[in-house]
């Protein structure tokens, strides 16, 4: 167990090192830079080159990477080329909204997906299972942004029940701001997750130890909670880590539609203005978050069912 | 098992027909739409002129719909194709090599890339190659390579270690006979099921990228771009948003249903084979 955790953590460290190089290389090799983007109107070669020297863009890539990486290790993510403020500040200001959005979604999605998954799994191919399966399958086929556009049209433009954007709104003053964004994010994640829990439940129910426990007369409730659920949860937890990916995509879309000043909005803005330090900083933080989530998911799975092996 | 009603067979076949229609309609529009030219003069923004009215720039919605499928579906298909060429090659090489180091060298780097959020990679690519359909297609493909390579490797290893291969080897079947005739065909089942879900995911990803304005230019006729650009006018002229949205949903929904059947069938085949 401990050696598994150590191995898995070592892999995560290697991943982190490779990712930071990758993030830098991808952003550094991009054609065009912020110096060009800033002066699209008054584009004189002298101004651009002066700008480049000022921003350090004229130095060789390797030197820039060493500089950047050294700073990252000390927690300094650089300064924005556009606003001139530290990247860390941009991250600090935008992380709150995204975190609230994600946690609120997960708080709704996880319990519901587990319950739905077990309900479906224990009634494999029954009428209820098939009904829920078709609904989740259909729901998961609708792109986030289509759901978002339609929900906004109906509930905020037509009926006027819920706010359509976060502009000028305060989350603490009006929690209703969260309803539509969470509703959009909820659809696909709950479908993906409940299907995995369903599959996990079905295979756990067919396992020999469950059949044996049933033969020994273990009560149904205890059977489900103590024996089936931990095993059924494994694909669920792994899917949850992968859901991070779907969820991030959804968060990007949702933040764009509802004008939420979050992480994704900052990222899209950074991409649009070619603000490389901001994109690097945000990408690095998100990549680290993805790594940590995957690491945590693998460790949890190993704890639930201590048999997973990392290295063959 | 419960006795089946006589109607059950035809009812069970209904979703197949429905999902086929759902997939085929947007597919036909995407393939043949760009060749159809309507004589629609540019009108006022969000007017009801023409069959489906006009969009926010006064362009005919039907004409946009006809020419917008090429990028919406084409980029996704292209990405999955590239992902399978690259990932399939890596996976098959890793599975068939006798050198363990080669297998490790091919597969281990993919483990590192696997947890990278896909929209992140694409937005970074979008910083440099703005509005390039080709760059976005490649980015979407690259995001899919790790999973495809691992899937193909696992499926090939699974088939190559089966008693059937052992028996074929004992019968002195040729290398090509074993690998192409048996292993290759055995890989096709899981691959087909995977392609089904992967294409829907790719359509999603391409559409999200374009919707966010990270991909194609905001005046492109692409379905996702149309939904994004005309969403303020949804109540004035719903068709400018609903028609392209319907095309996308119809395709992904139909493809999901078909893929689900395929997964069930391949799983059943596996169960029968055991």
């Amino acid at each position: 167990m401990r050696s598994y955790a150590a191995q898995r953590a070592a892999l995560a460290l290697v991943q982190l090192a490779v990712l930071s190089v990758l993030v830098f290389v991808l952003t550094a090799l991009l054609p065009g830079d912020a110096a060009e983007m800033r002066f699209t109107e008054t584009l004189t070669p002298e101004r651009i080159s002066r700008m480049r020297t000022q921003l350090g863009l004229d130095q060789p890539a390797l030197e820039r990477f060493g500089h950047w990486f050294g700073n990252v290790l000390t927690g300094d993510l650089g300064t924005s080329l556009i606003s001139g403020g530290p990247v860390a500040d941009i991250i600090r200001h935008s992380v709150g909204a995204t975190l609230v959005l994600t946690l609120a979604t997960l708080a709704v999605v996880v319990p519901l997906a587990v319950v739905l998954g077990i309900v479906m799994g224990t009634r494999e191919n029954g009428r209820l299972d098939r009904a829920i399966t078709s609904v989740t399958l259909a729901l998961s086929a609708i792109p986030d942004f289509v759901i978002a556009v339609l929900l906004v049209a109906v509930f905020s433009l037509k009926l006027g029940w819920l706010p359509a954007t976060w502009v000028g709104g305060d989350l603490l003053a009006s929690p209703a701001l969260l309803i539509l964004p969470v509703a959009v994010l909820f659809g696909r994640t709950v479908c993906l997750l409940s299907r995995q829990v369903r599959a996990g439940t079905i295979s756990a129910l067919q396992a020999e130890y469950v059949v044996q426990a049933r033969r020994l007369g273990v009560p149904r409730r205890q059977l489900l909670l103590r024996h089936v659920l931990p095993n059924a949860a494994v694909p669920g937890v792994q899917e949850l880590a992968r859901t991070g990916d779907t969820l991030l995509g959804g968060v990007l879309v949702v933040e764009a539609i509802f004008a939420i000043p979050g992480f994704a909005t900052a990222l899209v803005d950074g991409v649009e203005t070619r603000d490389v330090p901001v994109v690097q900083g945000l990408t690095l933080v998100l990549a680290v978050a993805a790594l940590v989530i995957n690491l945590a998911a693998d460790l949890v799975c190993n704890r639930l069912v201590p048999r997973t092996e990392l290295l063959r | 098992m419960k006795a089946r009603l006589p109607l059950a067979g035809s009812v069970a076949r209904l979703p197949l027909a429905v999902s086929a229609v759902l997939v085929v309609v947007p597919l036909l529009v995407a393939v043949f739409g760009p060749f159809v030219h309507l004589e629609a003069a540019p009108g006022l923004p969000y007017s009801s002129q023409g069959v489906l009215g006009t969009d926010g720039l006064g362009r005919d919605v039907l004409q946009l719909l006809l020419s917008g499928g090429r990028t919406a579906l084409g980029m996704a298909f292209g990405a999955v194709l590239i992902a399978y060429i690259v990932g399939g090659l890596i996976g098959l090489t890793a599975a068939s090599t006798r050198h363990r180091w080669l297998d490790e060298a091919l597969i281990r780097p993919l483990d590192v890339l696997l947890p990278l959020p896909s929209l992140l990679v694409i937005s970074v690519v979008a910083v440099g190659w703005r509005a390039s359909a080709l760059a976005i297609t490649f980015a979407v493909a690259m995001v899919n390579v790790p999973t495809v390579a691992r899937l193909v490797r696992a499926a090939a290893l699974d088939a190559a270690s089966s008693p059937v291969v052992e028996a074929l080897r004992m019968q002195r079947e040729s290398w090509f006979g074993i690998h192409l005739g048996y292993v290759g065909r055995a890989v096709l089942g899981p691959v087909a099921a995977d392609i089904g879900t992967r294409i829907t995911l790719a359509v999603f990803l391409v559409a999200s990228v374009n919707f966010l304005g990270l991909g194609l230019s905001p005046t492109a006729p692409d379905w996702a771009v149309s939904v994004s650009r005309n969403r303020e006018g949804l109540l004035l002229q719903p068709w400018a948003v609903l028609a392209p949205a319907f095309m996308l949903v119809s395709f992904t929904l139909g493809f999901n249903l078909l893929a689900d059947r395929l997964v069930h069938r391949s799983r059943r085949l596996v169960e029968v084979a055991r």
Side-chain angles (χ1 to χ4, degrees), chain B residues 9-53:
Chain B
S10 58
V11 171
R13 235 172 282 132
L14 183 70
L16 180 63
V18 172
S19 36
V21 170
L22 284 176
V23 171
V24 165
V25 168
L27 211 55
L28 286 179
V29 170
V31 173
F32 297 108
F35 301 109
V36 182
H37 289 287
L38 304 170
E39 283 171 32
L44 296 167
Y46 298 128
S47 72
S48 50
Q49 193 180 22
V51 185
L52 293 174

Side-chain angles (χ1 to χ4, degrees), chain A residues 210 213-214 218-229:
Chain A
V210 171
R214 199 182 274 159
V218 176
R220 190 179 157 78
R221 172 187 287 261
Q222 194 188 337
L223 188 75
L224 279 180
L225 291 181
R226 292 276 302 278
H227 301 280
V228 173
L229 191 57

